[in-house]
Amino acid sequence: MKINNRQLFWMIMMLEIGINLLISMTATILYAKQDAWISYILAGAGGLMITYVAAKLSSRYPRQTLIEYSVTILGKWAGKLMVIPFMLQWFWVISLILRDEFLFIRLNVLYKTPAWVVIGTMIGVVLYTVYHGGIEAIGRVSELWGPILMVILALTFALTVNNLNWEMMLPVYADTGAWPIVQGALAPVSLLGESVLLMMLFPFVEHPGKGTRKAVLAGVAFSSVLLLLGVLWVIMTFGPVVSGRLYFPFFEMVKLVYLMEFIQNMDIFVMSIWLVSIFVKLSIYMFITSYGIAQWIGKPRSWKRILWPVAAVSFVLTKVVIAFNPPSGLLLKSVWIRYVLPVNMVAIPLFLWVVSSMRRQVKR
């Protein structure tokens, strides 16, 4: 199973854009108000720094995944213990993505569809793709759909220009200050930081190296620019007060497209962007979870067998999350930003990088 740098670029793009466009904006606007665009600039810079550390670390062990080189760096037991938070994160993310997909579809399309139908359908499609094609199939889907979705996004921005009010951006900084802007940046940077998944994808690239690092960094940078445009468009359309109250502000913005009496209902295209992005993201997570667990227990060739219990556990966890129905903002703030961002995206990759550098110096 091999992918090329171009496919990795599109995988990172679709991993970052879909969920960020829909759920991170509200949390950012609540803190930073009309200065949310500054928060997204800070988030883009933070996401690039996280990605750089992860890419630099992986390039030292180009033929090993995170599960393997953590053992190489720290030893067998310490290395295996170090990656447990990542495996917990993977299950957590799969269940939350499926929950958000169910809420989105139920609120906008299929109002009375049971949860198990929506969840089971998506898991079935993802399971089929990953089982039969692995990471190679995910890369090809991303390479095919990525450019199409970029065209749809470009049309979306172009067709909503008439609804923009530049005065919604004023005043700049005066009403918020530095700390609310920094707080607003935490949500998008925590989602852009999911690029640390490349630590599991690096060895599947045909010729991993400097070109691979450039592809990943370019994917995060381009995603940050699109998200920055998205939050600017939302604020200039609804204003900071209304935008902060909407559950899916970008999706609501697209519903306002009305041009020459026949170009309207563009929301169906945005829905396609989100669903395809979610499919790619779930497929990546499903693959690295099953493959990572297989490597962790010492049976990497049995990763396809582990797919089935991973899918079953994900289904049960999603049903539990739907049953308790905690607010997305609460989960984002109390779990994702408080624990996953500082531990999995910053502390562990940085710690492995430092220890790896020290071992290299000792050997020299």
Side-chain angles (χ1 to χ4, degrees), residues 126-141:
V126 169
L127 188 62
Y128 178 85
T129 303
V130 176
Y131 186 86
H132 289 284
I135 195 65
E136 189 173 344
I138 303 170
R140 290 179 179 179
V141 170

Side-chain angles (χ1 to χ4, degrees), residues 252-270:
E252 298 297 332
M253 179 194 73
V254 180
K255 289 182 179 180
L256 300 178
V257 172
Y258 188 83
L259 185 64
M260 296 186 294
E261 298 185 359
F262 68 90
I263 299 180
Q264 50 187 312
N265 296 328
M266 282 287 293
D267 47 305
I268 190 65
F269 295 106
V270 176

Side-chain angles (χ1 to χ4, degrees), residues 241-258:
V241 177
V242 176
S243 300
R245 296 174 180 174
L246 296 174
Y247 199 78
F248 301 115
F250 189 84
F251 185 73
E252 298 297 332
M253 179 194 73
V254 180
K255 289 182 179 180
L256 300 178
V257 172
Y258 188 83

